[in-house]
Amino acid sequence: MKKVYIETMGCQMNKSDTERMLGMLSNFGYEETKDSKSADLLMINTCSIRQLSEDKAFSLIGTWGKWKKTRPDLKIGFCGCVAQQKANEIFKRAHYVDFVLGTHKIYSLPEIIEKINRGEKVCECEETHKTEDNEASKYNISRVKSINAWIPITEGCNNFCTYCIVPYTRGRERSRLPEIILKEVKDALNSGFKEITLLGQNVDSYGKDFTDRQYRLADLLKEVNAIEGKFRIRFVTSYPTDITDELIKTTVELDKVCEYFHIPMQSGSSEVLKKMNRRYDRETYKKIAQKIRDMVPDVTITSDFIAGFPGETEDQFVETLTAMEEIGLDYSNTAAYSPREKTVAAKWVDKFIDEDTKFERLARLNEQNRKCCLASNKKFVGREMEVLIENFENHKGKNVITGRTRNNKIVHIPSDVDLTGEFVNAKITSCKTWYLVGEIV
Ligand code: SF4
């Protein structure tokens, strides 16, 4: 067996692509290694959401390029979102790379391997605008053994938010076929996974592009929920105005679907949201969040925010801080604005916020996030909650099991027994900013 090492950067979609690529490579005589120095094939699955990730990718393959001087048989592949965006340009910047593979063509990997082994250089980055499910069903998926299986249901996005590179790197939105998704769910459950997360840039528009059937996310959730056995179902990421009442009702009715919504708001200022080309304003988001809270008991709602979007005034930024609190968001991912080539906002150079202001705003955003998260955690102290245990470790001399509640709160529980993969009932005894502390009841 030859050895392959894949460095995966960025989001769960990239992690899922890596699992698919490892599955394909296992059919062609490669086994995964975690030691890059012992690999015959080195691959990097890149992320282009921020300039920093792109810089890190080039720095890492620079190191690999040096190894090639003493190991001429070593093969190097540059994959993922930066590959999709830059294609042949990669060879100019890194001549030692053997192949460049974009996000649309991962099922070309077997042919690429044959070609590079014949000494050819290959670039596969055309946009296909279709899912490759027929190809997908031919190959295994080499899932990292864990509790939670991430299963893509849509690829790409049609929204073109002015800051976002995704429509350029992942293409237009395509829904994967329910029969292929259900097979992947069953395979994951049969190999011991206890939680299924249905994944997409905008999961709520799942099925909008089907021409041969009326089938949406709520239908898919019903079918996954009907599979026998004890497991949980989540779905991310939701676009605020695409969340239908039917979807919220389905979440309540189906016992395996968890009380958790991840709904990026991005800014609390309606003017900034307009410039971001988001299709809602502050009030609309608030109403949607309130409706979900009214309909789904114990639900948590998490979000994403950007600090320092081009032209953002201090007052508009403060609107973001107040929105987080007013809406009572349970947790938010935060980032400073990073201009990405090809996107609309990247052209507004004269409106860019200086770096010091941007990072000062990010620090205040993080502080507000900490407050919101602690306030949210406090609500659950004294409650009894079901926890799915994800790991067991010795922390400062004490054995602890850690897991998540249905509404995605992290819980630490003292235990000398490793209960990884088990569902336990825990009484929440206290909390910190980022987690709850409990005891088994
Ligand atoms: S909806 Fe999300 S993935 Fe799509 S363009 Fe906007 S930020 Fe990017």
Side-chain angles (χ1 to χ4, degrees):
M1 292 288 270
K2 287 188 172 183
K3 291 188 174 156
V4 55
Y5 172 87
I6 306 187
E7 178 77 28
T8 307
M9 310 179 88
C11 66
Q12 284 300 337
M13 199 58 98
N14 265 16
K15 289 181 187 138
S16 166
D17 283 351
T18 292
E19 289 175 342
R20 275 155 225 282
M21 293 196 283
L22 285 170
M24 273 183 262
L25 287 167
S26 70
N27 292 4
F28 292 88
Y30 284 89
E31 67 177 3
E32 188 189 11
T33 173
K34 297 285 178 200
D35 171 22
S36 55
K37 289 199 168 141
S38 69
D40 305 283
L41 170 62
L42 291 165
M43 290 165 58
I44 185 160
N45 195 0
T46 57
C47 166
S48 59
I49 211 85
R50 278 184 263 291
Q51 186 61 41
L52 191 65
S53 341
E54 196 176 314
D55 296 344
K56 272 193 194 157
F58 280 105
S59 158
L60 182 61
I61 58 155
T63 307
W64 293 352
K66 286 182 196 143
W67 296 353
K68 214 169 169 173
K69 286 183 189 155
T70 51
R71 294 179 53 203
D73 287 344
L74 183 63
K75 302 289 183 204
I76 300 177
F78 194 102
C79 315
C81 293
V82 181
Q84 184 66 39
Q85 203 190 349
K86 310 246 175 208
N88 277 305
E89 270 181 54
I90 306 286
F91 292 124
K92 289 189 203 141
R93 200 161 157 189
H95 58 89
Y96 40 81
V97 164
D98 294 281
F99 70 93
V100 178
L101 174 58
T103 53
H104 293 241
K105 300 294 287 281
I106 64 168
Y107 294 107
S108 316
L109 190 56
E111 291 103 81
I112 292 177
I113 297 298
E114 278 178 22
K115 286 183 186 167
I116 61 166
N117 284 338
R118 292 199 300 263
E120 291 176 37
K121 288 223 178 223
V122 185
C123 179
E124 283 284 3
C125 295
E126 305 92 81
E127 287 192 29
T128 58
H129 295 300
K130 58 174 192 186
T131 56
E132 301 196 50
D133 274 327
N134 290 336
E135 292 299 316
S137 54
K138 280 196 230 160
Y139 298 109
N140 302 327
I141 299 171
S142 179
R143 283 194 196 285
V144 177
K145 190 83 190 113
S146 164
I147 302 300
N148 188 350
W150 296 79
I151 299 185
I153 63 166
T154 65
E155 295 169 27
C157 183
N158 294 343
N159 283 335
F160 288 92
C161 302
T162 53
Y163 52 84
C164 183
I165 190 80
V166 167
Y168 306 94
T169 54
R170 292 267 167 192
R172 299 305 93 73
E173 193 170 87
R174 289 97 64 204
S175 302
R176 301 183 70 215
L177 299 173
E179 44 276 31
I180 301 276
I181 296 168
L182 289 165
K183 178 184 178 300
E184 284 189 14
V185 170
K186 285 176 191 157
D187 288 348
L189 294 171
N190 287 338
S191 36
F193 286 84
K194 296 288 170 66
E195 195 169 277
I196 301 294
T197 300
L198 304 175
L199 182 67
Q201 258 83 30
N202 182 6
V203 279
D204 317 271
S205 41
Y206 177 73
K208 269 188 188 167
D209 53 329
F210 290 145
T211 50
D212 61 338
R213 57 187 108 185
Q214 276 289 332
Y215 191 96
R216 303 300 303 275
L217 178 59
D219 301 303
L220 182 63
L221 288 172
K222 283 175 198 159
E223 286 210 70
V224 177
N225 195 77
I227 298 172
E228 274 188 27
K230 168 100 178 145
F231 65 96
R232 290 176 176 177
I233 307 166
R234 301 186 190 280
F235 53 91
V236 289
T237 295
S238 296
Y239 191 91
T241 44
D242 286 337
I243 301 170
T244 59
D245 288 3
E246 194 203 350
L247 178 66
I248 307 172
K249 262 201 281 159
T250 307
T251 307
V252 181
E253 283 162 10
L254 301 178
D255 61 324
K256 291 171 186 158
V257 177
C258 293
E259 297 76 21
Y260 170 67
F261 282 76
H262 181 67
I263 320 170
M265 187 183 193
Q266 305 299 4
S267 169
S269 152
S270 298
E271 285 114 275
V272 174
L273 288 169
K274 209 170 187 181
K275 288 185 188 136
M276 288 176 162
N277 194 30
R278 303 285 290 179
R279 301 187 311 271
Y280 54 90
D281 59 14
R282 179 186 172 108
E283 278 312 302
T284 310
Y285 184 100
K286 245 175 99 173
K287 279 187 195 146
I288 294 163
Q290 192 53 51
K291 190 199 287 181
I292 294 171
R293 287 203 196 282
D294 291 344
M295 290 172 71
V296 189
D298 280 342
V299 73
T300 57
I301 301 176
T302 59
S303 194
D304 298 340
F305 287 97
I306 297 172
F309 184 74
E312 180 190 67
T313 64
E314 170 62 20
D315 286 351
Q316 288 168 341
F317 171 69
V318 171
E319 285 188 73
T320 297
L321 299 181
T322 56
M324 284 167 97
E325 194 172 8
E326 269 174 37
I327 298 163
L329 292 168
D330 296 275
Y331 172 81
S332 299
N333 300 310
T334 60
Y337 171 73
S338 173
R340 308 308 297 132
E341 200 185 317
K342 291 189 182 169
T343 60
V344 173
K347 299 184 181 84
W348 301 337
V349 181
D350 57 330
K351 299 270 190 315
F352 281 4
I353 306 295
D354 67 85
E355 294 293 291
D356 285 352
T357 308
K358 214 160 65 176
F359 284 96
E360 186 266 337
R361 285 181 188 171
L362 179 63
R364 284 153 70 202
L365 200 55
N366 288 339
E367 186 47 38
Q368 183 67 294
N369 186 27
R370 274 191 280 276
K371 281 188 199 154
C372 289
C373 203
L374 184 60
S376 157
N377 284 349
K378 281 182 178 166
K379 289 190 286 190
F380 297 100
V381 175
R383 294 277 305 277
E384 202 175 304
M385 301 176 93
E386 183 197 81
V387 182
L388 169 57
I389 304 301
E390 294 177 359
N391 84 55
F392 172 68
E393 62 184 356
N394 188 284
H395 185 65
K396 295 184 182 164
K398 290 190 181 144
N399 289 329
V400 177
I401 47 174
T402 300
R404 280 173 200 268
T405 60
R406 287 175 59 97
N407 59 10
N408 215 26
K409 292 280 179 192
I410 295 170
V411 188
H412 295 310
I413 304 170
S415 168
D416 289 329
V417 188
D418 180 358
L419 295 172
T420 302
E422 303 283 322
F423 292 89
V424 302
N425 283 328
K427 168 117 192 262
I428 306 304
T429 51
S430 64
C431 72
K432 300 277 186 204
T433 304
W434 305 124
Y435 61 88
L436 307 174
V437 180
E439 55 192 34
I440 294 178
V441 289

